[in-house]
Amino acid sequence: TALRDGEPDEDGFITVTYKKKRADGGDDAGAPSRKKKKKSLELNNFYRHQIREAKRDQLAKLRGRFEEDKARVEKMKEARKFRPHF
């Protein structure tokens, strides 16, 4: 055991040995595991029609928000509180 602890033998040499790493990440209980995490098997928008529908929905949402913003700006203009540049 003295040879494996890094202590010199009677000649003054230290025996260097290969130490195999543990597969479960070693003795560190708090350290994160080195195992690879499995990727999510669920693919979003896998088919072309799903991609097209998602784009269409996103565009409709943006258009709706734009119209709401236009209406809000018009209300602010009517109330004379619209100041685009300070």
Side-chain angles (χ1 to χ4, degrees), residues 29-47:
S33 176
R34 293 190 176 129
K35 294 179 182 177
K36 290 185 179 181
K37 293 183 180 180
K38 291 184 179 179
K39 290 185 179 180
S40 175
L41 296 179
E42 179 182 341
L43 295 175
N44 296 330
N45 299 335
F46 182 74
Y47 296 104

Side-chain angles (χ1 to χ4, degrees), residues 9 14 21 33 36 41 45-46 54 56 60 70-71 74 78:
D9 58 0
I14 298 174
K21 293 182 182 180
S33 176
K36 290 185 179 181
L41 296 179
N45 299 335
F46 182 74
R56 190 178 325 129
K70 267 187 10 182
E74 284 299 319
E78 291 173 1

Side-chain angles (χ1 to χ4, degrees), residues 5-65:
D5 292 336
E7 297 177 9
D9 58 0
E10 62 268 354
D11 294 333
F13 291 101
I14 298 174
T15 305
V16 179
T17 59
Y18 173 74
K19 183 176 179 181
K20 185 175 182 179
K21 293 182 182 180
R22 294 181 58 166
D24 63 349
D27 296 333
D28 299 336
S33 176
R34 293 190 176 129
K35 294 179 182 177
K36 290 185 179 181
K37 293 183 180 180
K38 291 184 179 179
K39 290 185 179 180
S40 175
L41 296 179
E42 179 182 341
L43 295 175
N44 296 330
N45 299 335
F46 182 74
Y47 296 104
R48 282 190 187 190
H49 69 90
Q50 291 175 324
I51 294 171
R52 282 194 305 256
E53 288 173 358
K55 285 183 182 179
R56 190 178 325 129
D57 293 343
Q58 180 68 20
L59 200 58
K61 187 189 304 183
L62 284 175
R63 285 186 180 135
R65 276 196 262 157

